[in-house]
C-alpha cells in the first residue's frame, strides 16, 4: 500500500480543491461585490479582483446603513444578532445541562416520562408551534425585546440529550467517591460535572450560536422596530424587489459581515474543543 | 479506630433479588478483614452497605458503637478505594487527595500537611501536580490510597483495588497495602475474588457465596479446616479434589475401593453412607504400591516450574496431584498415593457441610 500513496494523495486533494472552489467562489464574489460602487455592479462591469471602495462601503454599512430600506446601520443589527445568538447559546446550555443533570442523577417519579416529553419536542420544529408561541410572547409584552427573541428558543431537546449521553459516561464510582468525600449534589455538579462537561459545552455552544445567529422566521415575526432587527432580517430587507434600487455593494458588505461572528466562534471554540478533547482523554 | 459490626444484614433489590441474606460479622478494631467469593456472591454489596452507598434492607451495621444505617457516607468516617480508582480526572493528584478534606472544612495548613505526608508514605510526591491520566495504573492506585489515608478514617474499605493492575504490580501493591495497614492500624474491610489476595492480606477471612457467609476464620483455619465443600474448592489453587466416597466405619472411608483413615470425622456417621471426600493436591504422597494406597491414572502433566501438576482420575473422579518438580518421574502412567488421616476432609453430599467433629 505504501508505494501507491503518492498517486493516492493527489486524487483526494484534487477533489478537495474542486469542492472548496465550488463552495468558496460565491463567497469570494460577494466580497468582491462589496468593494465596488452600485453602478458598476448593476452594469455588470464588476471584475474578479476586489475594487477600490472597500473601506468606504464597509464604513457606510456598519455605521450609516442603506439609505432607504433598513434605516439602521449594520452595527446595530450585528449587536442585536449577537445578543440573540449569545442568549440562545448560553441559555440553552444552562437549561439543558441542568435538566440532563436532574434526569441522570436524581430519582424522582415520572423521571423517564419527563425525559420522553423533552425528547418528543425534538420532533416539533419551531414553525409548528410558532403561532401559540407568538401569542404567549405578545401577551407577555415581549415583542421587540431581547427576551422575546431569546427565551422561546432556549428550551432544547438536543442539548438535554447530548448532556444526558455525556453524563451517562461518567462512571458511577466518581459519584460515589464524591459522596464519600462529602460533596452533595450541588457540589458534585460544580466541582466534577461542570469541569468535565467543558468539551460538550463548547460543542453545543458552537452549534447553538450559529443556530441563533441564523434565525430568520422568529425575529421576522416578533420584531417590528428597526432598532431591534437582526442582521439576517436586515440583509433580506436590503435586497429590494426592484433591482435597480438595491444597494448591492452594501448588501454584499452586510452579508460578509454577517459571516464573520459565526466563523470567529467556530475558530475560537475549535481550539477549546480540541483542547478539551485531549484533556478528557482517559 | 473502630470495630465494625454487622447484625443479620440483608439486602433485597427491586424484583425481590436477595443479594445479601442475613450476614452477621464482627470485625475487630485494627484488623484486616477480607471478604472473598465468586462474582455475584454479595461481597461488594456488603461493602457498599458498610460505606453507605447502598441502603440496608434489614439488620444493623455499627462502626464503633454508632449504628450507621441512616448516616450519610461522608458522615460515617470511612474511606473507600475503588476498583477503577475513581479519581477526579480534571483535578491534579494534590487536589484529588485534598478534595474530601476541603469539603469538610479542614484548615488549609492541615490539609497541606496531611496530603504531603500521605504523598511521602506512598512515594507519589513527584506527581502531586499531575493529572490522573498522566499516571500509570500503579501510581493511580497509590493516589486512590492516598485519598483514603488523608481522611484519617475509622475504617478503610477496599473494593477489589488491585483487579485493574497487571500481575507483577498486583503482588507488589498487595504487599504495600498490607504494610500500610499494619503501620496505620486502621480497621480495613477488603473485597476480592482473588483467593491469593484473600489469603495473604487477611487477619480474618470471610468466604461468601450466594449472599451468605460460608466460613469465617484465619486464613490457615479456612485452608486447613474448610467448613463447607464450597470453601474447600474455592480457597486453594489448584482447588481441593472432591471424590465420591463411602463410610466404612469409625474414622474410615473408602474411595474407589481403597480405604482411607480419617482423623476428623463425625462420630454418628453410619457405615455405607455416601459422602464426598476432599483431599488437597499437595497433601498426597507417592508410595510403593501397598496396602492402604489408592491409585490414579495419569492423563497429563502441567509444569509450573517449582512444582508439577499430575492430572488423572480416581474411580472416575478428576484428581490433581501437586508435587515438587522431579520428585515423580514424568513418564509415570499410574501412581500409588497415600495421604495423612489429618488431611482428609469429609463433606455431606447434599448440603456440602463438613462432616467433622463438632468442636475440634
Amino acid at each position: 500500500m505504501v508505494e501507491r500513496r503518492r498517486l493516492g494523495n493527489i486524487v483526494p486533494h484534487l477533489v478537495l480543491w474542486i469542492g472548496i472552489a465550488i463552495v468558496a467562489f460565491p463567497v469570494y464574489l460577494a466580497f468582491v461585490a462589496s468593494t465596488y460602487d452600485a453602478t458598476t455592479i448593476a452594469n455588470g462591469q464588476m471584475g474578479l479582483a476586489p475594487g477600490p471602495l472597500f473601506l468606504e462601503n464597509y464604513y457606510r454599512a456598519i455605521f450609516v446603513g442603506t439609505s432607504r430600506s433598513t434605516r439602521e446601520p449594520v452595527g446595530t443589527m450585528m449587536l442585536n444578532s449577537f445578543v440573540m445568538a449569545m442568549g440562545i447559546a448560553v441559555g440553552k446550555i444552562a437549561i439543558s445541562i441542568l435538566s440532563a443533570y436532574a434526569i441522570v442523577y436524581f430519582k424522582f417519579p415520572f423521571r423517564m416520562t419527563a425525559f420522553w416529553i423533552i425528547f418528543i419536542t425534538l420532533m416539533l420544529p419551531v414553525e409548528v408551534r410558532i403561532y401559540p408561541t407568538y401569542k404567549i410572547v405578545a401577551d407577555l409584552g415581549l415583542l421587540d425585546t431581547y427576551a422575546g427573541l431569546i427565551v422561546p428558543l432556549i428550551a432544547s431537546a438536543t442539548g438535554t440529550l447530548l448532556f444526558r449521553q455525556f453524563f451517562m459516561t461518567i462512571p458511577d464510582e466518581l459519584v460515589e467517591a464524591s459522596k464519600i468525600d462529602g460533596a452533595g449534589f450541588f457540589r458534585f455538579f460544580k466541582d466534577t460535572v461542570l469541569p468535565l462537561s467543558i468539551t460538550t459545552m463548547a460543542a453545543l455552544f458552537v452549534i447553538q450560536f450559529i443556530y441563533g445567529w441564523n434565525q430568520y422566521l422568529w425575529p421576522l415575526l416578533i420584531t417590528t422596530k428597526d432598532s431591534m432587527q437582526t442582521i439576517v432580517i436586515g440583509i433580506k430587507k436590503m435586497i429590494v424587489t426592484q433591482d435597480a434600487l438595491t444597494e448591492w455593494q452594501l448588501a454584499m458588505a452586510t452579508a460578509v459581515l454577517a459571516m464573520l461572528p459565526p466563523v470567529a466562534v467556530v475558530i475560537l471554540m475549535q481550539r477549546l474543543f480540541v483542547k478539551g478533547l485531549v484533556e478528557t482523554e482517559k | 479506630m473502630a470495630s465494625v459490626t454487622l447484625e443479620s444484614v440483608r439486602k433485597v433489590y427491586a424484583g425481590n433479588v436477595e443479594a445479601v441474606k442475613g450476614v452477621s460479622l464482627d470485625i475487630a478494631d485494627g484488623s484486616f478483614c477480607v471478604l472473598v467469593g465468586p462474582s455475584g456472591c454479595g461481597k461488594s454489596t456488603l461493602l457498599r452497605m458498610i460505606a453507605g452507598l447502598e441502603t440496608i434492607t434489614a439488620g444493623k451495621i455499627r462502626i464503633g458503637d454508632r449504628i450507621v444505617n441512616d448516616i450519610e457516607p461522608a458522615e460515617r468516617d470511612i474511606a473507600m478505594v475503588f476498583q477503577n480508582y475513581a479519581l477526579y480526572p480534571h483535578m491534579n493528584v494534590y487536589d484529588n487527595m485534598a478534595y474530601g478534606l476541603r469539603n469538610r472544612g479542614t484548615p488549609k495548613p492541615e490539609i497541606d500537611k496531611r496530603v504531603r505526608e500521605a504523598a511521602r508514605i506512598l512515594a507519589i510526591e513527584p506527581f502531586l501536580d499531575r493529572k490522573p491520566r498522566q499516571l500509570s495504573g500503579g501510581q493511580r492506585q497509590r493516589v486512590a490510597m492516598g485519598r483514603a489515608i488523608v481522611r484519617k478514617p475509622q475504617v478503610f474499605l477496599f473494593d477489589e483495588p488491585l483487579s485493574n493492575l497487571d500481575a507483577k504490580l498486583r503482588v507488589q501493591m498487595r504487599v504495600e497495602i498490607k504494610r500500610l495497614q499494619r503501620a496505620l492500624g486502621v480497621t480495613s474491610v477488603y473485597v476480592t475474588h482473588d483467593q491469593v489476595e484473600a489469603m495473604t492480606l487477611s487477619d480474618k477471612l470471610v468466604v461468601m457465596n450466594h449472599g451468605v457467609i460460608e466460613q469465617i476464620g484465619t486464613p490457615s483455619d479456612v485452608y486447613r479446616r474448610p467448613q463447607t465443600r464450597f470453601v474447600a474448592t474455592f480457597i486453594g489453587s489448584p482447588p481441593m479434589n472432591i471424590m465420591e466416597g463411602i463410610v466404612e466405619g469409625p474414622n474410615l472411608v473408602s474411595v474407589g475401593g481403597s480405604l482411607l483413615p480419617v482423623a476428623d470425622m463425625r462420630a454418628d456417621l453410619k457405615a455405607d453412607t455416601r459422602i464426598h471426600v476432599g483431599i488437597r493436591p499437595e497433601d498426597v504422597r507417592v508410595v510403593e504400591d501397598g496396602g492402604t494406597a489408592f491409585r490414579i491414572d495419569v492423563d497429563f502433566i502441567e509444569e509450573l516450574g517449582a512444582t508439577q501438576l499430575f492430572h488423572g482420575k480416581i474411580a472416575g473422579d478428576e484428581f490433581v496431584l501437586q508435587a515438587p518438580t522431579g520428585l515423580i518421574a514424568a513418564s509415570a502412567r499410574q501412581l500409588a498415593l497415600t495421604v495423612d488421616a489429618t488431611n482428609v476432609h469429609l463433606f455431606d453430599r447434599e448440603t456440602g457441610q463438613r462432616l467433622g467433629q463438632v468442636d475440634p
Side-chain angles (χ1 to χ4, degrees), chain B residues 94-106:
Chain B
Y94 186 99
D95 291 336
N96 259 292
M97 293 203 276
Y99 185 61
L101 295 176
R102 282 188 194 136
N103 287 344
R104 210 154 268 123
T106 315

Side-chain angles (χ1 to χ4, degrees), chain A residues 176 180-181 187 191 279, chain B residues 48 88 90 99 103 133:
Chain A
E176 291 169 352
I180 290 176
D181 271 339
R187 261 226 181 105
D191 290 344
E279 274 193 350
Chain B
R48 293 164 55 80
Y88 307 111
H90 56 292
Y99 185 61
N103 287 344
R133 78 191 141 84

Side-chain angles (χ1 to χ4, degrees), chain A residues 131-164:
Chain A
Y131 175 71
T133 314
Y134 180 85
K135 172 81 175 127
I136 291 167
V137 170
D139 287 350
L140 289 173
L142 294 177
L143 296 179
D144 280 319
T145 62
Y146 284 135
L149 277 171
I150 294 165
V151 174
L153 298 179
I154 274 182
S156 173
T158 340
T160 311
L161 200 68
L162 205 66
F163 281 119
R164 173 181 179 265

